[in-house]
Amino acid sequence: MIANRLKIACIAVTMLAGCSMAPQSKWTHPPMAVPFQPTIQQQIQLARIDQLLKRSDLDTDTLAQVYYERGLLHDSIGLRDLARLDFNQSLSLKPDQPDVFNILGVYFTQSAHFDAAYEAFDSTLELNLRHPFAQRNRGIALYYGGRYDLAHEDLIAHYQQNVNDPYRVIWLYLVDLERSPETAQEKLQQRYDVADKQEWGWQIARLYLGELTESELLAQIASESEDNDILAEHLTEAYFYLAKIYHYNKDYSSALMLYKLALAGNVYEFVEHRFSLLELSRLMAAAKLEQSAEEVGES
């Protein structure tokens, strides 16, 4: 029992201070990128918007748009609480904005307020049935909310709109692992086979299919990324989707470190970064459940 408590404590400390429980032979020197930093252009644009908001001659629609744009800027540099305030302010001024409902739905998902997320995405689709991201985002929210059949409905419809998008296939695979794990690999292979496989993200699918090892994937990213931005983006994706498999297989220590690595590049606008903190909280909950089950078994 004491050992289990120490295990949970170490996981908690790891989240705050970097105490790694992962096998050192595997993760001693993972490739890293220089973390994204706010650009001069973003800072200048924020300053200009702040000046613009001091004007008293802006009509309501314009003011709503300005708050929305400042919210996007705050979001892009990781100031998500400020972004949420801007989005709410924009929506209060102009309540028929599908893009604002969509981003707020993502925020609700990140904070595990799933019912609010579903409502936000429903509002997005009521206002714009062809919104490019709301159905995917609602599917992901349903997945995190444990409503796997409904998540599959959204994500399969989204996939059918573009069978060559690797991330639509990857998220379907993650849902299939929960719904029908015995056929998940077969379905992934079928979707992989019919795609044109032009986008980089198909390397993640190859990893899941066993055609590529973790070391090969990371070496490929490190050697082929043309600049630091691409390196940071590809590592964010790779570490997140690697973590998902370790997490699914209950290797919590490896998943923990990989989620932290997915956060390390500060690629705030990627869904993989957005949901890594949510995944960390889910991981901690799973580890505590495992500890409780072990304690019951020992008593």
Side-chain angles (χ1 to χ4, degrees):
M1 184 182 300
I2 293 174
N4 290 334
R5 288 174 179 168
L6 287 173
K7 179 180 177 182
I8 297 298
C10 187
I11 290 176
V13 171
T14 306
M15 294 181 69
L16 297 173
C19 162
S20 177
M21 293 170 52
Q24 291 303 308
S25 60
K26 290 175 64 177
W27 304 112
T28 305
H29 302 294
M32 300 286 290
V34 177
F36 280 9
Q37 302 296 321
T39 65
I40 293 176
Q41 290 81 2
Q42 287 171 318
Q43 295 176 66
I44 291 173
Q45 193 171 355
L46 274 174
R48 288 175 175 170
I49 289 177
D50 289 342
Q51 289 296 318
L52 184 61
L53 286 172
K54 294 178 181 179
R55 292 174 50 174
S56 59
D57 59 341
L58 299 180
D59 61 68
T60 300
D61 285 355
T62 301
L63 196 56
Q65 182 64 28
V66 172
Y67 275 114
Y68 172 63
E69 291 179 3
R70 190 174 70 173
L72 291 178
L73 273 171
H74 280 145
D75 180 72
S76 70
I77 59 176
L79 299 176
R80 287 174 175 157
D81 287 336
L82 292 178
R84 186 184 294 109
L85 290 173
D86 282 336
F87 293 139
N88 284 329
Q89 183 65 28
S90 178
L91 204 59
S92 71
L93 292 165
K94 190 174 186 292
D96 59 343
Q97 298 183 78
D99 289 338
V100 180
F101 278 114
N102 177 66
I103 188 64
L104 285 174
V106 172
Y107 276 31
F108 286 133
T109 305
Q110 287 176 257
S111 58
H113 295 119
F114 299 120
D115 288 339
Y118 308 148
E119 291 179 9
F121 295 130
D122 287 348
S123 296
T124 302
L125 291 167
E126 286 174 9
L127 292 167
N128 180 6
L129 187 59
R130 298 182 179 276
H131 193 278
F133 304 116
Q135 192 171 35
R136 177 204 68 179
N137 291 337
R138 186 175 65 182
I140 293 174
L142 288 162
Y143 162 78
Y144 279 118
R147 304 173 72 173
Y148 300 120
D149 289 339
L150 290 174
H152 185 267
E153 288 181 18
D154 270 346
L155 293 175
I156 196 70
H158 188 61
Y159 161 73
Q160 290 167 348
Q161 295 166 18
N162 182 2
V163 300
N164 295 315
D165 181 347
Y167 303 101
R168 302 180 194 219
V169 171
I170 291 166
W171 278 101
L172 264 176
Y173 174 67
L174 295 175
V175 171
D176 284 338
L177 282 177
E178 303 294 343
R179 292 178 69 245
S180 51
E182 66 282 352
T183 61
Q185 201 78 4
E186 178 185 353
K187 291 176 181 177
L188 174 61
Q189 184 71 63
Q190 291 171 352
R191 292 168 186 144
Y192 178 82
D193 289 342
V194 301
D196 63 15
K197 296 178 276 293
Q198 296 297 308
E199 292 189 38
W200 177 85
W202 287 108
Q203 302 305 313
I204 305 294
R206 290 185 64 208
L207 177 82
Y208 282 178
L209 290 168
E211 296 184 5
L212 200 64
T213 68
E214 296 173 22
S215 297
E216 289 170 340
L217 175 65
L218 296 177
Q220 181 189 95
I221 294 170
S223 64
E224 297 181 5
S225 297
E226 297 176 1
D227 55 38
N228 184 75
D229 287 1
I230 294 174
L231 179 64
E233 291 170 357
H234 286 180
L235 286 175
T236 297
E237 294 171 340
Y239 286 138
F240 177 82
Y241 293 114
L242 272 171
K244 289 293 293 175
I245 295 304
Y246 278 100
H247 197 162
Y248 178 78
N249 291 325
K250 296 184 170 56
D251 184 348
Y252 298 134
S253 58
S254 295
L256 172 71
M257 196 198 64
L258 286 161
Y259 286 133
K260 291 170 69 177
L261 287 170
L263 291 165
N266 291 347
V267 188
Y268 298 111
E269 295 176 282
F270 274 30
V271 294
E272 293 82 7
H273 186 284
R274 292 184 186 280
F275 295 128
S276 284
L277 283 173
L278 173 60
E279 292 285 4
L280 286 171
S281 65
R282 294 173 74 232
L283 187 152
M284 291 293 294
K288 288 178 180 178
L289 283 175
E290 183 180 84
Q291 178 202 22
S292 298
E294 290 176 359
E295 289 178 351
V296 169
E298 292 174 359
S299 61

mmCIF file of all heavy atoms in Angstrom, residues 138-167:
data_model
loop_
_atom_site.group_PDB
_atom_site.id
_atom_site.type_symbol
_atom_site.label_atom_id
_atom_site.label_comp_id
_atom_site.label_asym_id
_atom_site.label_seq_id
_atom_site.Cartn_x
_atom_site.Cartn_y
_atom_site.Cartn_z
ATOM 1 N N ARG A 138 -16.878 18.082 -31.988
ATOM 2 C CA ARG A 138 -17.930 17.452 -31.180
ATOM 3 C C ARG A 138 -17.651 15.964 -31.015
ATOM 4 O O ARG A 138 -17.852 15.396 -29.932
ATOM 5 C CB ARG A 138 -19.301 17.677 -31.812
ATOM 6 C CG ARG A 138 -20.455 17.166 -30.939
ATOM 7 C CD ARG A 138 -21.808 17.514 -31.530
ATOM 8 N NE ARG A 138 -22.041 16.835 -32.799
ATOM 9 C CZ ARG A 138 -23.131 17.004 -33.541
ATOM 10 N NH1 ARG A 138 -24.081 17.856 -33.146
ATOM 11 N NH2 ARG A 138 -23.283 16.360 -34.686
ATOM 12 N N GLY A 139 -17.164 15.322 -32.084
ATOM 13 C CA GLY A 139 -16.805 13.911 -31.987
ATOM 14 C C GLY A 139 -15.715 13.669 -30.955
ATOM 15 O O GLY A 139 -15.769 12.704 -30.178
ATOM 16 N N ILE A 140 -14.716 14.551 -30.924
ATOM 17 C CA ILE A 140 -13.640 14.415 -29.946
ATOM 18 C C ILE A 140 -14.176 14.649 -28.526
ATOM 19 O O ILE A 140 -13.809 13.933 -27.580
ATOM 20 C CB ILE A 140 -12.493 15.392 -30.272
ATOM 21 C CG1 ILE A 140 -11.809 14.979 -31.586
ATOM 22 C CG2 ILE A 140 -11.476 15.433 -29.136
ATOM 23 C CD1 ILE A 140 -10.768 15.952 -32.080
ATOM 24 N N ALA A 141 -15.060 15.640 -28.382
ATOM 25 C CA ALA A 141 -15.652 15.890 -27.063
ATOM 26 C C ALA A 141 -16.462 14.681 -26.600
ATOM 27 O O ALA A 141 -16.406 14.285 -25.418
ATOM 28 C CB ALA A 141 -16.531 17.134 -27.117
ATOM 29 N N LEU A 142 -17.219 14.069 -27.515
ATOM 30 C CA LEU A 142 -17.994 12.873 -27.172
ATOM 31 C C LEU A 142 -17.072 11.714 -26.802
ATOM 32 O O LEU A 142 -17.365 10.924 -25.893
ATOM 33 C CB LEU A 142 -18.885 12.490 -28.349
ATOM 34 C CG LEU A 142 -20.077 13.420 -28.611
ATOM 35 C CD1 LEU A 142 -20.626 13.217 -30.019
ATOM 36 C CD2 LEU A 142 -21.180 13.197 -27.575
ATOM 37 N N TYR A 143 -15.946 11.609 -27.479
ATOM 38 C CA TYR A 143 -14.951 10.586 -27.138
ATOM 39 C C TYR A 143 -14.438 10.785 -25.715
ATOM 40 O O TYR A 143 -14.411 9.841 -24.912
ATOM 41 C CB TYR A 143 -13.794 10.670 -28.141
ATOM 42 C CG TYR A 143 -12.515 9.989 -27.709
ATOM 43 C CD1 TYR A 143 -12.366 8.614 -27.794
ATOM 44 C CD2 TYR A 143 -11.440 10.737 -27.215
ATOM 45 C CE1 TYR A 143 -11.186 7.988 -27.395
ATOM 46 C CE2 TYR A 143 -10.262 10.120 -26.817
ATOM 47 C CZ TYR A 143 -10.138 8.747 -26.909
ATOM 48 O OH TYR A 143 -8.972 8.139 -26.509
ATOM 49 N N TYR A 144 -14.058 12.020 -25.379
ATOM 50 C CA TYR A 144 -13.565 12.268 -24.024
ATOM 51 C C TYR A 144 -14.677 12.131 -22.983
ATOM 52 O O TYR A 144 -14.407 11.809 -21.823
ATOM 53 C CB TYR A 144 -12.926 13.644 -23.947
ATOM 54 C CG TYR A 144 -11.516 13.673 -24.470
ATOM 55 C CD1 TYR A 144 -11.172 14.450 -25.571
ATOM 56 C CD2 TYR A 144 -10.520 12.914 -23.875
ATOM 57 C CE1 TYR A 144 -9.872 14.467 -26.071
ATOM 58 C CE2 TYR A 144 -9.227 12.923 -24.356
ATOM 59 C CZ TYR A 144 -8.905 13.698 -25.455
ATOM 60 O OH TYR A 144 -7.613 13.698 -25.933
ATOM 61 N N GLY A 145 -15.909 12.356 -23.400
ATOM 62 C CA GLY A 145 -17.035 12.183 -22.489
ATOM 63 C C GLY A 145 -17.482 10.741 -22.350
ATOM 64 O O GLY A 145 -18.449 10.463 -21.634
ATOM 65 N N GLY A 146 -16.788 9.820 -23.040
ATOM 66 C CA GLY A 146 -17.119 8.398 -22.933
ATOM 67 C C GLY A 146 -18.320 7.967 -23.740
ATOM 68 O O GLY A 146 -18.806 6.842 -23.579
ATOM 69 N N ARG A 147 -18.788 8.796 -24.662
ATOM 70 C CA ARG A 147 -19.956 8.463 -25.497
ATOM 71 C C ARG A 147 -19.441 8.029 -26.877
ATOM 72 O O ARG A 147 -19.552 8.750 -27.866
ATOM 73 C CB ARG A 147 -20.892 9.666 -25.559
ATOM 74 C CG ARG A 147 -21.315 10.129 -24.167
ATOM 75 C CD ARG A 147 -22.105 11.421 -24.155
ATOM 76 N NE ARG A 147 -23.447 11.242 -24.665
ATOM 77 C CZ ARG A 147 -24.386 12.185 -24.643
ATOM 78 N NH1 ARG A 147 -24.102 13.374 -24.100
ATOM 79 N NH2 ARG A 147 -25.573 11.966 -25.135
ATOM 80 N N TYR A 148 -18.901 6.824 -26.906
ATOM 81 C CA TYR A 148 -18.096 6.397 -28.045
ATOM 82 C C TYR A 148 -18.932 6.160 -29.309
ATOM 83 O O TYR A 148 -18.464 6.443 -30.417
ATOM 84 C CB TYR A 148 -17.311 5.137 -27.681
ATOM 85 C CG TYR A 148 -16.386 5.347 -26.517
ATOM 86 C CD1 TYR A 148 -16.516 4.593 -25.341
ATOM 87 C CD2 TYR A 148 -15.385 6.319 -26.556
ATOM 88 C CE1 TYR A 148 -15.674 4.787 -24.268
ATOM 89 C CE2 TYR A 148 -14.539 6.529 -25.475
ATOM 90 C CZ TYR A 148 -14.695 5.760 -24.340
ATOM 91 O OH TYR A 148 -13.857 5.964 -23.277
ATOM 92 N N ASP A 149 -20.144 5.662 -29.176
ATOM 93 C CA ASP A 149 -20.965 5.429 -30.364
ATOM 94 C C ASP A 149 -21.326 6.749 -31.044
ATOM 95 O O ASP A 149 -21.264 6.862 -32.277
ATOM 96 C CB ASP A 149 -22.233 4.655 -30.001
ATOM 97 C CG ASP A 149 -21.937 3.199 -29.648
ATOM 98 O OD1 ASP A 149 -20.864 2.696 -30.059
ATOM 99 O OD2 ASP A 149 -22.772 2.569 -28.966
ATOM 100 N N LEU A 150 -21.705 7.737 -30.240
ATOM 101 C CA LEU A 150 -22.022 9.055 -30.808
ATOM 102 C C LEU A 150 -20.764 9.710 -31.383
ATOM 103 O O LEU A 150 -20.822 10.363 -32.429
ATOM 104 C CB LEU A 150 -22.648 9.951 -29.737
ATOM 105 C CG LEU A 150 -24.052 9.572 -29.285
ATOM 106 C CD1 LEU A 150 -24.498 10.457 -28.121
ATOM 107 C CD2 LEU A 150 -25.044 9.682 -30.443
ATOM 108 N N ALA A 151 -19.643 9.526 -30.701
ATOM 109 C CA ALA A 151 -18.376 10.056 -31.224
ATOM 110 C C ALA A 151 -18.072 9.447 -32.578
ATOM 111 O O ALA A 151 -17.642 10.140 -33.518
ATOM 112 C CB ALA A 151 -17.242 9.760 -30.243
ATOM 113 N N HIS A 152 -18.302 8.156 -32.709
ATOM 114 C CA HIS A 152 -18.044 7.469 -33.978
ATOM 115 C C HIS A 152 -18.931 8.028 -35.083
ATOM 116 O O HIS A 152 -18.477 8.214 -36.224
ATOM 117 C CB HIS A 152 -18.272 5.967 -33.817
ATOM 118 C CG HIS A 152 -17.921 5.179 -35.029
ATOM 119 N ND1 HIS A 152 -18.853 4.851 -35.995
ATOM 120 C CD2 HIS A 152 -16.738 4.669 -35.463
ATOM 121 C CE1 HIS A 152 -18.267 4.169 -36.956
ATOM 122 N NE2 HIS A 152 -16.983 4.049 -36.665
ATOM 123 N N GLU A 153 -20.187 8.319 -34.774
ATOM 124 C CA GLU A 153 -21.098 8.874 -35.783
ATOM 125 C C GLU A 153 -20.555 10.191 -36.339
ATOM 126 O O GLU A 153 -20.546 10.416 -37.554
ATOM 127 C CB GLU A 153 -22.486 9.092 -35.181
ATOM 128 C CG GLU A 153 -23.263 7.821 -34.917
ATOM 129 C CD GLU A 153 -24.627 8.113 -34.340
ATOM 130 O OE1 GLU A 153 -25.097 9.273 -34.454
ATOM 131 O OE2 GLU A 153 -25.248 7.193 -33.761
ATOM 132 N N ASP A 154 -20.113 11.060 -35.450
ATOM 133 C CA ASP A 154 -19.573 12.347 -35.895
ATOM 134 C C ASP A 154 -18.270 12.167 -36.668
ATOM 135 O O ASP A 154 -18.064 12.774 -37.728
ATOM 136 C CB ASP A 154 -19.326 13.262 -34.693
ATOM 137 C CG ASP A 154 -20.528 14.125 -34.360
ATOM 138 O OD1 ASP A 154 -21.449 14.224 -35.190
ATOM 139 O OD2 ASP A 154 -20.555 14.703 -33.255
ATOM 140 N N LEU A 155 -17.386 11.345 -36.143
ATOM 141 C CA LEU A 155 -16.059 11.231 -36.734
ATOM 142 C C LEU A 155 -16.073 10.448 -38.042
ATOM 143 O O LEU A 155 -15.270 10.731 -38.943
ATOM 144 C CB LEU A 155 -15.085 10.606 -35.735
ATOM 145 C CG LEU A 155 -14.790 11.492 -34.520
ATOM 146 C CD1 LEU A 155 -13.911 10.746 -33.515
ATOM 147 C CD2 LEU A 155 -14.117 12.788 -34.923
ATOM 148 N N ILE A 156 -16.981 9.492 -38.189
ATOM 149 C CA ILE A 156 -17.065 8.775 -39.465
ATOM 150 C C ILE A 156 -17.638 9.693 -40.541
ATOM 151 O O ILE A 156 -17.195 9.662 -41.700
ATOM 152 C CB ILE A 156 -17.891 7.471 -39.340
ATOM 153 C CG1 ILE A 156 -17.639 6.556 -40.540
ATOM 154 C CG2 ILE A 156 -19.371 7.751 -39.213
ATOM 155 C CD1 ILE A 156 -16.289 5.946 -40.597
ATOM 156 N N ALA A 157 -18.607 10.533 -40.174
ATOM 157 C CA ALA A 157 -19.145 11.490 -41.133
ATOM 158 C C ALA A 157 -18.073 12.499 -41.540
ATOM 159 O O ALA A 157 -17.958 12.866 -42.719
ATOM 160 C CB ALA A 157 -20.363 12.206 -40.538
ATOM 161 N N HIS A 158 -17.285 12.936 -40.577
ATOM 162 C CA HIS A 158 -16.200 13.875 -40.864
ATOM 163 C C HIS A 158 -15.145 13.218 -41.745
ATOM 164 O O HIS A 158 -14.638 13.835 -42.695
ATOM 165 C CB HIS A 158 -15.579 14.339 -39.540
ATOM 166 C CG HIS A 158 -14.586 15.443 -39.668
ATOM 167 N ND1 HIS A 158 -14.895 16.677 -40.180
ATOM 168 C CD2 HIS A 158 -13.261 15.494 -39.353
ATOM 169 C CE1 HIS A 158 -13.824 17.444 -40.177
ATOM 170 N NE2 HIS A 158 -12.811 16.747 -39.688
ATOM 171 N N TYR A 159 -14.815 11.965 -41.461
ATOM 172 C CA TYR A 159 -13.839 11.225 -42.268
ATOM 173 C C TYR A 159 -14.300 11.090 -43.714
ATOM 174 O O TYR A 159 -13.509 11.258 -44.651
ATOM 175 C CB TYR A 159 -13.611 9.851 -41.650
ATOM 176 C CG TYR A 159 -13.004 8.840 -42.597
ATOM 177 C CD1 TYR A 159 -11.662 8.922 -42.971
ATOM 178 C CD2 TYR A 159 -13.779 7.798 -43.127
ATOM 179 C CE1 TYR A 159 -11.107 7.993 -43.847
ATOM 180 C CE2 TYR A 159 -13.229 6.875 -43.995
ATOM 181 C CZ TYR A 159 -11.894 6.981 -44.360
ATOM 182 O OH TYR A 159 -11.357 6.074 -45.240
ATOM 183 N N GLN A 160 -15.573 10.810 -43.912
ATOM 184 C CA GLN A 160 -16.086 10.590 -45.268
ATOM 185 C C GLN A 160 -16.024 11.844 -46.129
ATOM 186 O O GLN A 160 -16.046 11.753 -47.363
ATOM 187 C CB GLN A 160 -17.521 10.057 -45.191
ATOM 188 C CG GLN A 160 -17.583 8.626 -44.666
ATOM 189 C CD GLN A 160 -18.982 8.182 -44.292
ATOM 190 O OE1 GLN A 160 -19.918 9.004 -44.206
ATOM 191 N NE2 GLN A 160 -19.143 6.893 -44.037
ATOM 192 N N GLN A 161 -15.897 13.000 -45.512
ATOM 193 C CA GLN A 161 -15.748 14.242 -46.268
ATOM 194 C C GLN A 161 -14.346 14.396 -46.846
ATOM 195 O O GLN A 161 -14.135 15.156 -47.785
ATOM 196 C CB GLN A 161 -16.077 15.438 -45.370
ATOM 197 C CG GLN A 161 -17.526 15.474 -44.907
ATOM 198 C CD GLN A 161 -17.739 16.459 -43.775
ATOM 199 O OE1 GLN A 161 -16.922 17.347 -43.544
ATOM 200 N NE2 GLN A 161 -18.835 16.303 -43.045
ATOM 201 N N ASN A 162 -13.365 13.665 -46.277
ATOM 202 C CA ASN A 162 -11.989 13.717 -46.789
ATOM 203 C C ASN A 162 -11.237 12.483 -46.298
ATOM 204 O O ASN A 162 -10.646 12.500 -45.220
ATOM 205 C CB ASN A 162 -11.289 14.992 -46.337
ATOM 206 C CG ASN A 162 -9.878 15.104 -46.892
ATOM 207 O OD1 ASN A 162 -9.424 14.254 -47.651
ATOM 208 N ND2 ASN A 162 -9.159 16.147 -46.490
ATOM 209 N N VAL A 163 -11.236 11.438 -47.103
ATOM 210 C CA VAL A 163 -10.614 10.174 -46.686
ATOM 211 C C VAL A 163 -9.096 10.247 -46.741
ATOM 212 O O VAL A 163 -8.412 9.300 -46.306
ATOM 213 C CB VAL A 163 -11.110 9.002 -47.563
ATOM 214 C CG1 VAL A 163 -12.621 8.845 -47.438
ATOM 215 C CG2 VAL A 163 -10.693 9.187 -49.025
ATOM 216 N N ASN A 164 -8.552 11.354 -47.240
ATOM 217 C CA ASN A 164 -7.096 11.502 -47.340
ATOM 218 C C ASN A 164 -6.491 12.293 -46.186
ATOM 219 O O ASN A 164 -5.285 12.556 -46.182
ATOM 220 C CB ASN A 164 -6.730 12.177 -48.668
ATOM 221 C CG ASN A 164 -7.092 11.328 -49.855
ATOM 222 O OD1 ASN A 164 -6.834 10.123 -49.868
ATOM 223 N ND2 ASN A 164 -7.718 11.925 -50.867
ATOM 224 N N ASP A 165 -7.316 12.654 -45.210
ATOM 225 C CA ASP A 165 -6.834 13.384 -44.030
ATOM 226 C C ASP A 165 -6.427 12.368 -42.961
ATOM 227 O O ASP A 165 -7.285 11.656 -42.424
ATOM 228 C CB ASP A 165 -7.936 14.297 -43.505
ATOM 229 C CG ASP A 165 -7.503 15.113 -42.296
ATOM 230 O OD1 ASP A 165 -6.440 14.816 -41.706
ATOM 231 O OD2 ASP A 165 -8.240 16.043 -41.920
ATOM 232 N N PRO A 166 -5.150 12.269 -42.628
ATOM 233 C CA PRO A 166 -4.717 11.237 -41.674
ATOM 234 C C PRO A 166 -5.282 11.414 -40.278
ATOM 235 O O PRO A 166 -5.521 10.420 -39.569
ATOM 236 C CB PRO A 166 -3.189 11.380 -41.673
ATOM 237 C CG PRO A 166 -2.928 12.785 -42.121
ATOM 238 C CD PRO A 166 -4.010 13.090 -43.107
ATOM 239 N N TYR A 167 -5.525 12.649 -39.857
ATOM 240 C CA TYR A 167 -5.965 12.873 -38.489
ATOM 241 C C TYR A 167 -7.411 12.428 -38.291
ATOM 242 O O TYR A 167 -7.788 12.008 -37.189
ATOM 243 C CB TYR A 167 -5.757 14.341 -38.116
ATOM 244 C CG TYR A 167 -4.315 14.738 -38.304
ATOM 245 C CD1 TYR A 167 -3.901 15.447 -39.435
ATOM 246 C CD2 TYR A 167 -3.342 14.339 -37.396
ATOM 247 C CE1 TYR A 167 -2.568 15.764 -39.641
ATOM 248 C CE2 TYR A 167 -2.004 14.658 -37.591
ATOM 249 C CZ TYR A 167 -1.622 15.361 -38.719
ATOM 250 O OH TYR A 167 -0.291 15.657 -38.922
#
